[in-house]
Amino acid sequence: MPKMKTKSGAKKRFRLTATGKVKRSQTGKRHGMIKRTPKQIRDLRGTTLVSEADAKVIRKHFLPNG
């Protein structure tokens, strides 16, 4: 059985924490900043955790090697 490969799209979008949770960047910061308030832009900085139901799928199918 060959090794499972990590999905290349997932490795650009997700990272695993030391405890195995899945981190992702905030959505809504790619374009259209002119229509967002400065508070919205500030609040979208940094990263957030994926919900546990989605994280289970991501770990199993997209990031099998961590």
Side-chain angles (χ1 to χ4, degrees):
M1 185 88 171
K3 292 182 181 179
M4 286 184 70
K5 290 188 175 180
T6 298
K7 295 285 184 183
S8 59
K11 68 184 166 188
K12 296 169 192 171
R13 290 173 170 81
F14 304 111
R15 293 279 178 268
L16 291 181
T17 64
T19 57
K21 295 178 181 174
V22 181
K23 279 194 313 187
R24 66 168 174 83
S25 58
Q26 297 273 16
T27 58
K29 290 246 343 189
R30 292 292 183 181
H31 57 82
M33 292 296 105
I34 198 76
K35 62 181 82 164
R36 303 204 192 337
T37 64
K39 182 182 185 310
Q40 281 177 313
I41 295 171
R42 275 197 312 275
D43 289 343
L44 289 174
R45 278 187 204 143
T47 58
T48 185
L49 294 176
V50 175
S51 70
E52 195 47 48
D54 291 333
K56 196 178 291 186
V57 173
I58 291 167
R59 277 194 301 268
K60 183 176 179 187
H61 295 292
F62 301 122
L63 300 172
N65 303 318

PDB file of all heavy atoms in Angstrom, residues 12-45:
ATOM      1  N   LYS A  12      -1.842  24.300   2.364  1.00  0.00           N
ATOM      2  CA  LYS A  12      -1.720  25.750   2.270  1.00  0.00           C
ATOM      3  C   LYS A  12      -2.737  26.459   3.163  1.00  0.00           C
ATOM      4  O   LYS A  12      -2.556  27.619   3.511  1.00  0.00           O
ATOM      5  CB  LYS A  12      -1.934  26.199   0.828  1.00  0.00           C
ATOM      6  CG  LYS A  12      -0.893  25.675  -0.129  1.00  0.00           C
ATOM      7  CD  LYS A  12      -1.306  25.936  -1.562  1.00  0.00           C
ATOM      8  CE  LYS A  12      -0.410  25.140  -2.501  1.00  0.00           C
ATOM      9  NZ  LYS A  12      -0.899  25.195  -3.888  1.00  0.00           N
ATOM     10  N   ARG A  13      -3.823  25.774   3.507  1.00  0.00           N
ATOM     11  CA  ARG A  13      -4.917  26.425   4.230  1.00  0.00           C
ATOM     12  C   ARG A  13      -4.986  26.084   5.705  1.00  0.00           C
ATOM     13  O   ARG A  13      -5.534  26.867   6.486  1.00  0.00           O
ATOM     14  CB  ARG A  13      -6.245  26.033   3.578  1.00  0.00           C
ATOM     15  CG  ARG A  13      -6.446  26.641   2.228  1.00  0.00           C
ATOM     16  CD  ARG A  13      -7.703  26.081   1.579  1.00  0.00           C
ATOM     17  NE  ARG A  13      -8.039  26.807   0.387  1.00  0.00           N
ATOM     18  CZ  ARG A  13      -7.480  26.605  -0.791  1.00  0.00           C
ATOM     19  NH1 ARG A  13      -6.534  25.693  -0.915  1.00  0.00           N
ATOM     20  NH2 ARG A  13      -7.844  27.308  -1.844  1.00  0.00           N
ATOM     21  N   PHE A  14      -4.488  24.923   6.104  1.00  0.00           N
ATOM     22  CA  PHE A  14      -4.651  24.463   7.482  1.00  0.00           C
ATOM     23  C   PHE A  14      -3.318  24.129   8.115  1.00  0.00           C
ATOM     24  O   PHE A  14      -2.383  23.709   7.436  1.00  0.00           O
ATOM     25  CB  PHE A  14      -5.536  23.204   7.526  1.00  0.00           C
ATOM     26  CG  PHE A  14      -6.881  23.376   6.893  1.00  0.00           C
ATOM     27  CD1 PHE A  14      -7.201  22.721   5.720  1.00  0.00           C
ATOM     28  CD2 PHE A  14      -7.832  24.200   7.472  1.00  0.00           C
ATOM     29  CE1 PHE A  14      -8.439  22.869   5.135  1.00  0.00           C
ATOM     30  CE2 PHE A  14      -9.071  24.352   6.896  1.00  0.00           C
ATOM     31  CZ  PHE A  14      -9.375  23.694   5.724  1.00  0.00           C
ATOM     32  N   ARG A  15      -3.246  24.298   9.440  1.00  0.00           N
ATOM     33  CA  ARG A  15      -2.096  23.869  10.232  1.00  0.00           C
ATOM     34  C   ARG A  15      -2.632  23.148  11.460  1.00  0.00           C
ATOM     35  O   ARG A  15      -3.709  23.480  11.959  1.00  0.00           O
ATOM     36  CB  ARG A  15      -1.266  25.067  10.698  1.00  0.00           C
ATOM     37  CG  ARG A  15      -0.574  25.824   9.595  1.00  0.00           C
ATOM     38  CD  ARG A  15       0.706  25.157   9.167  1.00  0.00           C
ATOM     39  NE  ARG A  15       1.336  25.870   8.073  1.00  0.00           N
ATOM     40  CZ  ARG A  15       1.148  25.620   6.790  1.00  0.00           C
ATOM     41  NH1 ARG A  15       0.297  24.672   6.435  1.00  0.00           N
ATOM     42  NH2 ARG A  15       1.771  26.287   5.861  1.00  0.00           N
ATOM     43  N   LEU A  16      -1.866  22.198  11.964  1.00  0.00           N
ATOM     44  CA  LEU A  16      -2.260  21.504  13.178  1.00  0.00           C
ATOM     45  C   LEU A  16      -1.548  22.121  14.375  1.00  0.00           C
ATOM     46  O   LEU A  16      -0.369  22.458  14.294  1.00  0.00           O
ATOM     47  CB  LEU A  16      -1.897  20.019  13.091  1.00  0.00           C
ATOM     48  CG  LEU A  16      -2.685  19.185  12.093  1.00  0.00           C
ATOM     49  CD1 LEU A  16      -2.222  17.738  12.144  1.00  0.00           C
ATOM     50  CD2 LEU A  16      -4.164  19.271  12.365  1.00  0.00           C
ATOM     51  N   THR A  17      -2.271  22.256  15.484  1.00  0.00           N
ATOM     52  CA  THR A  17      -1.657  22.711  16.721  1.00  0.00           C
ATOM     53  C   THR A  17      -0.965  21.526  17.385  1.00  0.00           C
ATOM     54  O   THR A  17      -1.076  20.390  16.928  1.00  0.00           O
ATOM     55  CB  THR A  17      -2.706  23.293  17.679  1.00  0.00           C
ATOM     56  OG1 THR A  17      -3.615  22.248  18.043  1.00  0.00           O
ATOM     57  CG2 THR A  17      -3.469  24.430  17.037  1.00  0.00           C
ATOM     58  N   ALA A  18      -0.266  21.784  18.478  1.00  0.00           N
ATOM     59  CA  ALA A  18       0.449  20.711  19.173  1.00  0.00           C
ATOM     60  C   ALA A  18      -0.511  19.677  19.753  1.00  0.00           C
ATOM     61  O   ALA A  18      -0.162  18.502  19.886  1.00  0.00           O
ATOM     62  CB  ALA A  18       1.310  21.301  20.277  1.00  0.00           C
ATOM     63  N   THR A  19      -1.728  20.104  20.087  1.00  0.00           N
ATOM     64  CA  THR A  19      -2.700  19.168  20.644  1.00  0.00           C
ATOM     65  C   THR A  19      -3.552  18.497  19.569  1.00  0.00           C
ATOM     66  O   THR A  19      -4.457  17.735  19.888  1.00  0.00           O
ATOM     67  CB  THR A  19      -3.634  19.880  21.642  1.00  0.00           C
ATOM     68  OG1 THR A  19      -4.274  20.973  20.972  1.00  0.00           O
ATOM     69  CG2 THR A  19      -2.856  20.374  22.835  1.00  0.00           C
ATOM     70  N   GLY A  20      -3.294  18.806  18.286  1.00  0.00           N
ATOM     71  CA  GLY A  20      -4.001  18.139  17.201  1.00  0.00           C
ATOM     72  C   GLY A  20      -5.212  18.874  16.681  1.00  0.00           C
ATOM     73  O   GLY A  20      -5.926  18.350  15.831  1.00  0.00           O
ATOM     74  N   LYS A  21      -5.472  20.089  17.185  1.00  0.00           N
ATOM     75  CA  LYS A  21      -6.581  20.871  16.648  1.00  0.00           C
ATOM     76  C   LYS A  21      -6.158  21.488  15.322  1.00  0.00           C
ATOM     77  O   LYS A  21      -4.973  21.626  15.041  1.00  0.00           O
ATOM     78  CB  LYS A  21      -6.984  21.961  17.641  1.00  0.00           C
ATOM     79  CG  LYS A  21      -7.548  21.397  18.929  1.00  0.00           C
ATOM     80  CD  LYS A  21      -7.891  22.495  19.892  1.00  0.00           C
ATOM     81  CE  LYS A  21      -8.425  21.892  21.182  1.00  0.00           C
ATOM     82  NZ  LYS A  21      -8.640  22.914  22.200  1.00  0.00           N
ATOM     83  N   VAL A  22      -7.150  21.863  14.507  1.00  0.00           N
ATOM     84  CA  VAL A  22      -6.864  22.394  13.178  1.00  0.00           C
ATOM     85  C   VAL A  22      -7.068  23.906  13.192  1.00  0.00           C
ATOM     86  O   VAL A  22      -8.142  24.387  13.541  1.00  0.00           O
ATOM     87  CB  VAL A  22      -7.768  21.726  12.118  1.00  0.00           C
ATOM     88  CG1 VAL A  22      -7.450  22.253  10.736  1.00  0.00           C
ATOM     89  CG2 VAL A  22      -7.608  20.223  12.152  1.00  0.00           C
ATOM     90  N   LYS A  23      -6.012  24.639  12.789  1.00  0.00           N
ATOM     91  CA  LYS A  23      -6.078  26.094  12.697  1.00  0.00           C
ATOM     92  C   LYS A  23      -6.323  26.494  11.255  1.00  0.00           C
ATOM     93  O   LYS A  23      -5.879  25.819  10.327  1.00  0.00           O
ATOM     94  CB  LYS A  23      -4.740  26.719  13.116  1.00  0.00           C
ATOM     95  CG  LYS A  23      -4.515  26.859  14.554  1.00  0.00           C
ATOM     96  CD  LYS A  23      -3.351  27.784  14.872  1.00  0.00           C
ATOM     97  CE  LYS A  23      -2.116  27.528  14.068  1.00  0.00           C
ATOM     98  NZ  LYS A  23      -0.967  28.316  14.515  1.00  0.00           N
ATOM     99  N   ARG A  24      -7.012  27.612  11.073  1.00  0.00           N
ATOM    100  CA  ARG A  24      -7.205  28.168   9.734  1.00  0.00           C
ATOM    101  C   ARG A  24      -7.146  29.682   9.834  1.00  0.00           C
ATOM    102  O   ARG A  24      -7.319  30.253  10.909  1.00  0.00           O
ATOM    103  CB  ARG A  24      -8.541  27.739   9.143  1.00  0.00           C
ATOM    104  CG  ARG A  24      -9.729  28.297   9.898  1.00  0.00           C
ATOM    105  CD  ARG A  24     -11.024  28.101   9.136  1.00  0.00           C
ATOM    106  NE  ARG A  24     -12.175  28.495   9.906  1.00  0.00           N
ATOM    107  CZ  ARG A  24     -12.622  29.734  10.018  1.00  0.00           C
ATOM    108  NH1 ARG A  24     -11.995  30.728   9.418  1.00  0.00           N
ATOM    109  NH2 ARG A  24     -13.696  30.015  10.735  1.00  0.00           N
ATOM    110  N   SER A  25      -6.925  30.341   8.694  1.00  0.00           N
ATOM    111  CA  SER A  25      -6.939  31.795   8.700  1.00  0.00           C
ATOM    112  C   SER A  25      -8.386  32.281   8.616  1.00  0.00           C
ATOM    113  O   SER A  25      -9.285  31.543   8.222  1.00  0.00           O
ATOM    114  CB  SER A  25      -6.125  32.337   7.531  1.00  0.00           C
ATOM    115  OG  SER A  25      -6.650  31.846   6.320  1.00  0.00           O
ATOM    116  N   GLN A  26      -8.594  33.530   8.986  1.00  0.00           N
ATOM    117  CA  GLN A  26      -9.938  34.097   8.972  1.00  0.00           C
ATOM    118  C   GLN A  26     -10.404  34.309   7.533  1.00  0.00           C
ATOM    119  O   GLN A  26      -9.604  34.611   6.648  1.00  0.00           O
ATOM    120  CB  GLN A  26      -9.944  35.440   9.702  1.00  0.00           C
ATOM    121  CG  GLN A  26      -9.590  35.340  11.160  1.00  0.00           C
ATOM    122  CD  GLN A  26     -10.791  35.039  12.028  1.00  0.00           C
ATOM    123  OE1 GLN A  26     -11.834  34.627  11.553  1.00  0.00           O
ATOM    124  NE2 GLN A  26     -10.628  35.250  13.308  1.00  0.00           N
ATOM    125  N   THR A  27     -11.700  34.155   7.317  1.00  0.00           N
ATOM    126  CA  THR A  27     -12.257  34.398   5.987  1.00  0.00           C
ATOM    127  C   THR A  27     -12.679  35.850   5.857  1.00  0.00           C
ATOM    128  O   THR A  27     -12.855  36.551   6.852  1.00  0.00           O
ATOM    129  CB  THR A  27     -13.485  33.505   5.737  1.00  0.00           C
ATOM    130  OG1 THR A  27     -14.455  33.778   6.760  1.00  0.00           O
ATOM    131  CG2 THR A  27     -13.105  32.048   5.773  1.00  0.00           C
ATOM    132  N   GLY A  28     -12.836  36.299   4.617  1.00  0.00           N
ATOM    133  CA  GLY A  28     -13.356  37.638   4.376  1.00  0.00           C
ATOM    134  C   GLY A  28     -12.301  38.712   4.290  1.00  0.00           C
ATOM    135  O   GLY A  28     -12.617  39.888   4.477  1.00  0.00           O
ATOM    136  N   LYS A  29     -11.029  38.360   4.020  1.00  0.00           N
ATOM    137  CA  LYS A  29      -9.973  39.369   3.945  1.00  0.00           C
ATOM    138  C   LYS A  29      -9.266  39.373   2.593  1.00  0.00           C
ATOM    139  O   LYS A  29      -8.190  39.943   2.458  1.00  0.00           O
ATOM    140  CB  LYS A  29      -8.933  39.101   5.041  1.00  0.00           C
ATOM    141  CG  LYS A  29      -9.432  39.364   6.417  1.00  0.00           C
ATOM    142  CD  LYS A  29      -8.813  40.484   7.168  1.00  0.00           C
ATOM    143  CE  LYS A  29      -7.513  41.032   6.712  1.00  0.00           C
ATOM    144  NZ  LYS A  29      -6.917  41.979   7.629  1.00  0.00           N
ATOM    145  N   ARG A  30      -9.833  38.751   1.591  1.00  0.00           N
ATOM    146  CA  ARG A  30      -9.156  38.672   0.295  1.00  0.00           C
ATOM    147  C   ARG A  30      -9.357  39.937  -0.536  1.00  0.00           C
ATOM    148  O   ARG A  30      -8.455  40.405  -1.197  1.00  0.00           O
ATOM    149  CB  ARG A  30      -9.650  37.465  -0.498  1.00  0.00           C
ATOM    150  CG  ARG A  30      -9.245  36.145   0.083  1.00  0.00           C
ATOM    151  CD  ARG A  30      -7.768  35.940  -0.037  1.00  0.00           C
ATOM    152  NE  ARG A  30      -7.404  34.627   0.461  1.00  0.00           N
ATOM    153  CZ  ARG A  30      -6.175  34.165   0.498  1.00  0.00           C
ATOM    154  NH1 ARG A  30      -5.195  34.916   0.076  1.00  0.00           N
ATOM    155  NH2 ARG A  30      -5.917  32.977   0.971  1.00  0.00           N
ATOM    156  N   HIS A  31     -10.571  40.430  -0.559  1.00  0.00           N
ATOM    157  CA  HIS A  31     -10.859  41.620  -1.364  1.00  0.00           C
ATOM    158  C   HIS A  31     -12.081  42.304  -0.777  1.00  0.00           C
ATOM    159  O   HIS A  31     -12.723  41.768   0.130  1.00  0.00           O
ATOM    160  CB  HIS A  31     -11.098  41.249  -2.834  1.00  0.00           C
ATOM    161  CG  HIS A  31     -12.196  40.255  -3.017  1.00  0.00           C
ATOM    162  ND1 HIS A  31     -13.519  40.588  -3.044  1.00  0.00           N
ATOM    163  CD2 HIS A  31     -12.162  38.910  -3.162  1.00  0.00           C
ATOM    164  CE1 HIS A  31     -14.255  39.504  -3.203  1.00  0.00           C
ATOM    165  NE2 HIS A  31     -13.457  38.465  -3.263  1.00  0.00           N
ATOM    166  N   GLY A  32     -12.406  43.489  -1.291  1.00  0.00           N
ATOM    167  CA  GLY A  32     -13.586  44.205  -0.816  1.00  0.00           C
ATOM    168  C   GLY A  32     -13.395  44.858   0.539  1.00  0.00           C
ATOM    169  O   GLY A  32     -14.355  44.999   1.291  1.00  0.00           O
ATOM    170  N   MET A  33     -12.170  45.263   0.857  1.00  0.00           N
ATOM    171  CA  MET A  33     -11.906  45.877   2.158  1.00  0.00           C
ATOM    172  C   MET A  33     -12.593  47.235   2.300  1.00  0.00           C
ATOM    173  O   MET A  33     -12.853  47.687   3.398  1.00  0.00           O
ATOM    174  CB  MET A  33     -10.401  46.073   2.390  1.00  0.00           C
ATOM    175  CG  MET A  33      -9.609  44.809   2.563  1.00  0.00           C
ATOM    176  SD  MET A  33     -10.082  43.894   4.013  1.00  0.00           S
ATOM    177  CE  MET A  33     -10.991  42.565   3.279  1.00  0.00           C
ATOM    178  N   ILE A  34     -12.888  47.874   1.185  1.00  0.00           N
ATOM    179  CA  ILE A  34     -13.468  49.213   1.224  1.00  0.00           C
ATOM    180  C   ILE A  34     -14.862  49.185   1.851  1.00  0.00           C
ATOM    181  O   ILE A  34     -15.287  50.147   2.480  1.00  0.00           O
ATOM    182  CB  ILE A  34     -13.498  49.823  -0.205  1.00  0.00           C
ATOM    183  CG1 ILE A  34     -13.677  51.317  -0.161  1.00  0.00           C
ATOM    184  CG2 ILE A  34     -14.548  49.183  -1.053  1.00  0.00           C
ATOM    185  CD1 ILE A  34     -12.432  52.060   0.223  1.00  0.00           C
ATOM    186  N   LYS A  35     -15.564  48.079   1.700  1.00  0.00           N
ATOM    187  CA  LYS A  35     -16.920  48.008   2.253  1.00  0.00           C
ATOM    188  C   LYS A  35     -16.949  47.467   3.678  1.00  0.00           C
ATOM    189  O   LYS A  35     -17.998  47.403   4.281  1.00  0.00           O
ATOM    190  CB  LYS A  35     -17.824  47.175   1.353  1.00  0.00           C
ATOM    191  CG  LYS A  35     -17.423  45.746   1.178  1.00  0.00           C
ATOM    192  CD  LYS A  35     -18.366  45.001   0.252  1.00  0.00           C
ATOM    193  CE  LYS A  35     -18.024  45.238  -1.192  1.00  0.00           C
ATOM    194  NZ  LYS A  35     -18.640  44.294  -2.098  1.00  0.00           N
ATOM    195  N   ARG A  36     -15.801  47.076   4.226  1.00  0.00           N
ATOM    196  CA  ARG A  36     -15.745  46.606   5.605  1.00  0.00           C
ATOM    197  C   ARG A  36     -15.317  47.745   6.521  1.00  0.00           C
ATOM    198  O   ARG A  36     -14.541  48.601   6.127  1.00  0.00           O
ATOM    199  CB  ARG A  36     -14.756  45.455   5.738  1.00  0.00           C
ATOM    200  CG  ARG A  36     -15.084  44.294   4.802  1.00  0.00           C
ATOM    201  CD  ARG A  36     -14.540  43.018   5.285  1.00  0.00           C
ATOM    202  NE  ARG A  36     -14.525  41.877   4.413  1.00  0.00           N
ATOM    203  CZ  ARG A  36     -15.263  41.613   3.362  1.00  0.00           C
ATOM    204  NH1 ARG A  36     -16.142  42.476   2.943  1.00  0.00           N
ATOM    205  NH2 ARG A  36     -15.149  40.499   2.694  1.00  0.00           N
ATOM    206  N   THR A  37     -15.824  47.714   7.729  1.00  0.00           N
ATOM    207  CA  THR A  37     -15.432  48.746   8.686  1.00  0.00           C
ATOM    208  C   THR A  37     -14.034  48.419   9.222  1.00  0.00           C
ATOM    209  O   THR A  37     -13.611  47.263   9.190  1.00  0.00           O
ATOM    210  CB  THR A  37     -16.419  48.809   9.860  1.00  0.00           C
ATOM    211  OG1 THR A  37     -16.361  47.574  10.566  1.00  0.00           O
ATOM    212  CG2 THR A  37     -17.836  49.056   9.374  1.00  0.00           C
ATOM    213  N   PRO A  38     -13.310  49.424   9.722  1.00  0.00           N
ATOM    214  CA  PRO A  38     -11.996  49.143  10.308  1.00  0.00           C
ATOM    215  C   PRO A  38     -12.065  48.124  11.447  1.00  0.00           C
ATOM    216  O   PRO A  38     -11.153  47.313  11.622  1.00  0.00           O
ATOM    217  CB  PRO A  38     -11.539  50.503  10.822  1.00  0.00           C
ATOM    218  CG  PRO A  38     -12.226  51.476   9.955  1.00  0.00           C
ATOM    219  CD  PRO A  38     -13.560  50.864   9.636  1.00  0.00           C
ATOM    220  N   LYS A  39     -13.162  48.115  12.202  1.00  0.00           N
ATOM    221  CA  LYS A  39     -13.314  47.144  13.285  1.00  0.00           C
ATOM    222  C   LYS A  39     -13.426  45.726  12.726  1.00  0.00           C
ATOM    223  O   LYS A  39     -12.850  44.783  13.273  1.00  0.00           O
ATOM    224  CB  LYS A  39     -14.537  47.472  14.126  1.00  0.00           C
ATOM    225  CG  LYS A  39     -14.727  46.512  15.300  1.00  0.00           C
ATOM    226  CD  LYS A  39     -15.980  46.847  16.070  1.00  0.00           C
ATOM    227  CE  LYS A  39     -16.145  45.998  17.301  1.00  0.00           C
ATOM    228  NZ  LYS A  39     -16.013  44.587  17.128  1.00  0.00           N
ATOM    229  N   GLN A  40     -14.167  45.576  11.632  1.00  0.00           N
ATOM    230  CA  GLN A  40     -14.269  44.254  11.017  1.00  0.00           C
ATOM    231  C   GLN A  40     -12.904  43.758  10.550  1.00  0.00           C
ATOM    232  O   GLN A  40     -12.550  42.595  10.761  1.00  0.00           O
ATOM    233  CB  GLN A  40     -15.210  44.295   9.808  1.00  0.00           C
ATOM    234  CG  GLN A  40     -16.676  44.285  10.137  1.00  0.00           C
ATOM    235  CD  GLN A  40     -17.508  44.412   8.892  1.00  0.00           C
ATOM    236  OE1 GLN A  40     -17.251  45.264   8.034  1.00  0.00           O
ATOM    237  NE2 GLN A  40     -18.516  43.568   8.767  1.00  0.00           N
ATOM    238  N   ILE A  41     -12.134  44.636   9.931  1.00  0.00           N
ATOM    239  CA  ILE A  41     -10.818  44.258   9.426  1.00  0.00           C
ATOM    240  C   ILE A  41      -9.905  43.878  10.583  1.00  0.00           C
ATOM    241  O   ILE A  41      -9.169  42.891  10.510  1.00  0.00           O
ATOM    242  CB  ILE A  41     -10.221  45.406   8.591  1.00  0.00           C
ATOM    243  CG1 ILE A  41     -11.080  45.639   7.346  1.00  0.00           C
ATOM    244  CG2 ILE A  41      -8.788  45.096   8.188  1.00  0.00           C
ATOM    245  CD1 ILE A  41     -10.723  46.879   6.569  1.00  0.00           C
ATOM    246  N   ARG A  42      -9.943  44.624  11.675  1.00  0.00           N
ATOM    247  CA  ARG A  42      -9.126  44.301  12.849  1.00  0.00           C
ATOM    248  C   ARG A  42      -9.510  42.949  13.426  1.00  0.00           C
ATOM    249  O   ARG A  42      -8.654  42.150  13.797  1.00  0.00           O
ATOM    250  CB  ARG A  42      -9.311  45.368  13.939  1.00  0.00           C
ATOM    251  CG  ARG A  42      -8.439  46.569  13.799  1.00  0.00           C
ATOM    252  CD  ARG A  42      -8.394  47.335  15.106  1.00  0.00           C
ATOM    253  NE  ARG A  42      -9.694  47.571  15.724  1.00  0.00           N
ATOM    254  CZ  ARG A  42     -10.514  48.574  15.432  1.00  0.00           C
ATOM    255  NH1 ARG A  42     -10.190  49.458  14.487  1.00  0.00           N
ATOM    256  NH2 ARG A  42     -11.650  48.717  16.066  1.00  0.00           N
ATOM    257  N   ASP A  43     -10.818  42.699  13.511  1.00  0.00           N
ATOM    258  CA  ASP A  43     -11.291  41.452  14.112  1.00  0.00           C
ATOM    259  C   ASP A  43     -10.965  40.230  13.259  1.00  0.00           C
ATOM    260  O   ASP A  43     -10.977  39.103  13.765  1.00  0.00           O
ATOM    261  CB  ASP A  43     -12.795  41.514  14.360  1.00  0.00           C
ATOM    262  CG  ASP A  43     -13.155  42.450  15.498  1.00  0.00           C
ATOM    263  OD1 ASP A  43     -12.250  42.793  16.293  1.00  0.00           O
ATOM    264  OD2 ASP A  43     -14.331  42.846  15.587  1.00  0.00           O
ATOM    265  N   LEU A  44     -10.702  40.427  11.974  1.00  0.00           N
ATOM    266  CA  LEU A  44     -10.404  39.308  11.085  1.00  0.00           C
ATOM    267  C   LEU A  44      -8.917  38.983  11.034  1.00  0.00           C
ATOM    268  O   LEU A  44      -8.507  38.119  10.270  1.00  0.00           O
ATOM    269  CB  LEU A  44     -10.914  39.606   9.668  1.00  0.00           C
ATOM    270  CG  LEU A  44     -12.428  39.585   9.502  1.00  0.00           C
ATOM    271  CD1 LEU A  44     -12.814  40.025   8.112  1.00  0.00           C
ATOM    272  CD2 LEU A  44     -12.973  38.207   9.798  1.00  0.00           C
ATOM    273  N   ARG A  45      -8.087  39.647  11.833  1.00  0.00           N
ATOM    274  CA  ARG A  45      -6.663  39.325  11.873  1.00  0.00           C
ATOM    275  C   ARG A  45      -6.437  37.969  12.530  1.00  0.00           C
ATOM    276  O   ARG A  45      -7.261  37.514  13.315  1.00  0.00           O
ATOM    277  CB  ARG A  45      -5.907  40.366  12.691  1.00  0.00           C
ATOM    278  CG  ARG A  45      -5.562  41.601  11.938  1.00  0.00           C
ATOM    279  CD  ARG A  45      -4.678  42.475  12.806  1.00  0.00           C
ATOM    280  NE  ARG A  45      -4.795  43.852  12.356  1.00  0.00           N
ATOM    281  CZ  ARG A  45      -4.795  44.898  13.154  1.00  0.00           C
ATOM    282  NH1 ARG A  45      -4.677  44.749  14.452  1.00  0.00           N
ATOM    283  NH2 ARG A  45      -4.905  46.111  12.654  1.00  0.00           N
TER     284      ARG A  45
END
